[in-house]
Amino acid sequence: MFLFLFFIISVINSQDCLGGELRSKESFTYGRFEVRMKSAQGNGYVSSFFTYHDFWSTSYNGDWQNYINEIDIEFTGNLDHSIQFTTHHPGPWSQTQILPLNYNPHQEYHDYAFEWTPNSVKWFVNNVEIYNQNQSIVDDLVYPQKIMMNLWSAIYQDWVGEWNPETMPVNSFYDYVKYYAYTEGSGNYGTDNNFTLLWEDHFNAMNENRWEEATHGFDGNYCQFDPLNVLFHNGKMILFATDSQYILGDVNNDMALNITDVVILINYILSDTEERDSWQIINEDILSIKC
């Protein structure tokens, strides 16, 4: 089966890197959205958990500005003790807040959530509310939104710092995602017990009925999203940012596929270490998926 390794080459495209994005197939209106994650560190990188109205997949008569709805939790790799919350609105316009954390989110797993109702959006860190936007801000957030997670490199240096492509590969880790429906007056969780758990995903494997990998890019992003940069490993969903000319299987980064790479892969497959260098994880898991 190892012979297949030598024929797996990543897609080379006009952008400078490949990123990863996982998005839900279903869209949701209101609810509590939870994640346990660890973000990517380094200037230029953005790790996220958010909801987004996918108006591109619907009929919007070209007037896309009137259909923008998005709620964000974001981490920029240049800041070691902060988190960013944003809503994006028709117009377009946005409301954002960057708040301090007493730990480095790039080095530790923590729980994050937001509650979206007709009256407010509230954000939580480790189940403690730390920021909210009231109805006067969020009353135009009315469209169904997909759950999304992505890792990419932004061009905006004043926001994320100056990106150095030589820092790739980098990765962000996601332990689980939970979705609670908004059930005002009849729930059992969240603010005033107004939410009811509908499902949770602990990423033991790709749930193709729930999720799909993205294949697009967008303005302001150095990366093109590639399904190969979304992997599942030891109960984690891992997103990668890699060079667009990265050769899958070249685990020792010598730009050649040979028996040395196979030996290294076998040794790591037989090991039981959860946290490895990102290039080791991506090559091992692609091998196990493709063979």
Side-chain angles (χ1 to χ4, degrees):
M1 74 180 194
F2 294 105
L3 292 178
F4 199 88
L5 166 67
F6 296 93
F7 298 96
I8 306 174
I9 306 295
S10 65
V11 176
I12 299 176
N13 57 65
S14 59
Q15 292 189 278
D16 297 317
C17 65
L18 301 178
E21 177 178 284
L22 191 72
R23 53 172 57 196
S24 64
K25 293 184 176 181
E26 184 180 357
S27 295
F28 307 88
T29 304
Y30 308 129
R32 180 180 170 103
F33 305 81
E34 289 188 5
V35 68
R36 181 171 175 82
M37 64 176 288
K38 180 171 63 173
S39 50
Q41 190 159 21
N43 284 4
Y45 298 108
V46 180
S47 307
S48 67
F49 175 73
F50 65 109
T51 56
Y52 174 79
H53 176 51
D54 190 12
F55 53 85
W56 299 107
S57 65
T58 61
S59 176
Y60 61 94
N61 300 320
D63 191 16
W64 60 270
Q65 296 93 334
N66 292 326
Y67 293 86
I68 294 175
N69 269 196
E70 182 176 341
I71 305 171
D72 295 346
I73 296 175
E74 292 177 305
F75 304 88
T76 60
N78 60 320
L79 299 177
D80 291 343
H81 294 85
S82 75
I83 188 170
Q84 180 169 324
F85 305 124
T86 306
T87 52
H88 297 274
H89 305 258
W93 64 279
S94 62
Q95 181 85 5
T96 190
Q97 182 72 45
I98 299 175
L99 294 175
L101 297 172
N102 60 4
Y103 59 86
N104 187 337
H106 316 311
Q107 296 181 353
E108 304 174 14
Y109 286 98
H110 286 272
D111 299 325
Y112 307 97
F114 58 87
E115 294 176 352
W116 171 31
T117 75
N119 305 313
S120 66
V121 175
K122 299 179 179 180
W123 285 265
F124 301 80
V125 173
N126 295 324
N127 213 33
V128 176
E129 180 184 340
I130 66 170
Y131 178 62
N132 70 79
Q133 295 178 7
N134 61 30
Q135 187 169 4
S136 66
I137 299 176
V138 305
D139 61 358
D140 59 1
L141 297 181
V142 295
Y143 296 112
Q145 302 182 35
K146 293 185 175 183
I147 300 172
M148 297 192 184
M149 294 154 278
N150 59 29
L151 173 61
W152 53 288
S153 177
I155 68 173
Y156 309 107
Q157 294 186 21
D158 57 343
W159 179 36
V160 299
E162 184 177 0
W163 177 56
N164 179 3
E166 294 183 1
T167 58
M168 296 184 295
V170 301
N171 45 267
S172 55
F173 293 84
Y174 295 78
D175 189 21
Y176 64 73
V177 168
K178 297 181 182 180
Y179 170 67
Y180 299 77
Y182 178 53
T183 53
E184 185 177 16
S186 61
N188 57 12
Y189 195 78
T191 301
D192 298 326
N193 285 328
N194 280 333
F195 301 87
T196 302
L197 180 66
L198 287 195
W199 56 261
E200 54 188 300
D201 197 323
H202 289 262
F203 296 130
N204 294 312
M206 171 69 168
N207 185 335
E208 295 185 354
N209 293 322
R210 177 172 293 145
W211 305 107
E212 60 186 353
E213 300 102 337
T215 58
H216 66 277
F218 54 84
D219 290 342
N221 182 1
Y222 285 117
C223 294
Q224 173 83 18
F225 293 128
D226 193 305
L228 291 176
N229 283 35
V230 180
L231 295 176
F232 295 80
H233 178 85
N234 281 358
K236 302 289 191 300
M237 192 273 292
I238 310 171
L239 301 180
F240 290 85
T242 60
D243 191 285
S244 61
Q245 300 186 46
Y246 183 71
I247 300 177
L248 303 180
D250 179 23
V251 297
N252 61 354
N253 289 331
D254 64 356
M255 297 305 294
L257 298 177
N258 50 43
I259 192 63
T260 302
D261 299 305
V262 174
V263 171
I264 295 173
L265 281 171
I266 292 174
N267 288 335
Y268 274 95
I269 288 172
L270 294 177
S271 73
D272 192 32
T273 303
E274 176 183 327
E275 301 280 343
R276 306 174 187 147
D277 289 342
S278 58
W279 58 265
Q280 294 163 343
I281 297 174
I282 193 171
N283 280 288
E284 174 196 329
D285 279 30
I286 287 170
L287 179 64
S288 66
I289 292 170
K290 296 297 182 181
C291 297

